[in-house]
Amino acid sequence: MTNVAVIYYSSTGQVHQLAVAAAEAAEKAGAEVRLRQVAELAPQQAIDANPDWAAHRDATRDVGLATPEDLEWADVVLFGTPTRFGLPASQIKQFIDTLGGLWAQGKLVNKVVSSFTSTSTVHGGQESTLLALNNTFYHWGAIIVAPGYADPVQFAPSNGNPYGASSVSANGTASATEENLASIGFQSTRCVEIATALHRGLNAA
């Protein structure tokens, strides 16, 4: 069985929606899945000042926190992050910075990895956020699997990003569309299929 870790950060909930859809798709593809959020770094005062942020933190308090062990366990890792000035959120970056030990031991080599994001506006940095996050995976020696235009859902009007599934939150007022959820579902399934094929090939060799 293929092990999949879906690791994400979400402030008001849209990246969480995508993460849940990714986890569900991986399970349907036959994988064992861990859905994990990274630790919050923002001060409570800032969270309380935004009712949507505070509500989402409360609603997801039972989602487990990601640990390096989740990556060691996983064959596939999907990272989800909102954009922050065209870059991954500091919360996801801080978690990644705890993975030096695994990297030094070569335990991240040949992991299948992929990423997804949400921005406030249509041209709010989706591609640059995903490309910046993917830079990490080159250092790991991981195998980056993007959705590309490998499925018709990628041509849907609210998708169209070959680097990773993405959505527009309209400053936290909108939910991910059905097309967005279908896109991350395809991306997650594709990762499971490729990881499974890779393991079969390695075992046969």
Side-chain angles (χ1 to χ4, degrees):
M1 178 177 288
T2 300
N3 295 334
V4 176
V6 181
I7 296 175
Y8 75 97
Y9 172 72
S10 187
S11 52
T12 57
Q14 194 166 111
V15 175
H16 172 75
Q17 285 183 287
L18 296 173
V20 170
E24 291 175 347
E27 287 179 343
K28 288 180 182 177
E32 183 174 346
V33 180
R34 294 182 184 179
L35 177 66
R36 300 287 189 266
Q37 61 180 326
V38 299
E40 180 61 82
L41 302 178
Q44 192 63 44
Q45 183 179 6
I47 297 171
D48 292 341
N50 182 331
D52 292 332
W53 193 354
H56 179 66
R57 293 301 302 169
D58 184 61
T60 58
R61 64 185 180 276
D62 293 332
V63 178
L65 289 180
T67 69
E69 191 276 331
D70 292 316
L71 271 83
E72 186 171 3
W73 167 85
D75 304 302
V76 175
V77 187
L78 291 106
F79 282 98
T81 178
T83 189
R84 294 292 184 265
F85 302 110
L87 295 168
S90 59
Q91 288 86 346
I92 205 87
K93 180 62 166 60
Q94 191 276 338
F95 173 72
I96 286 172
D97 287 347
T98 70
L99 303 175
L102 290 181
W103 167 81
Q105 297 173 69
K107 291 185 176 180
L108 300 176
V109 173
N110 291 338
K111 301 284 186 183
V112 168
V113 295
S114 202
S115 53
F116 55 96
T117 191
S118 173
T119 56
S120 291
T121 60
V122 174
H123 299 291
Q126 293 176 352
E127 290 90 344
S128 65
T129 298
L130 296 173
L131 291 171
L133 187 53
N134 286 357
N135 283 336
T136 301
F137 310 144
Y138 301 128
H139 287 255
W140 292 354
I143 299 168
I144 299 173
V145 174
Y149 292 107
D151 186 270
V153 71
Q154 293 300 106
F155 293 92
S158 66
N159 292 330
N161 184 347
Y163 307 107
S166 54
S167 60
V168 176
S169 70
N171 294 313
T173 63
S175 296
T177 68
E178 289 301 316
E179 292 171 342
N180 300 153
L181 298 176
S183 177
I184 187 59
F186 165 69
Q187 182 176 342
S188 180
T189 302
R190 177 171 160 83
C191 287
V192 173
E193 291 173 348
I194 289 176
T196 301
L198 284 170
H199 291 159
R200 285 174 181 165
L202 290 171
N203 289 335

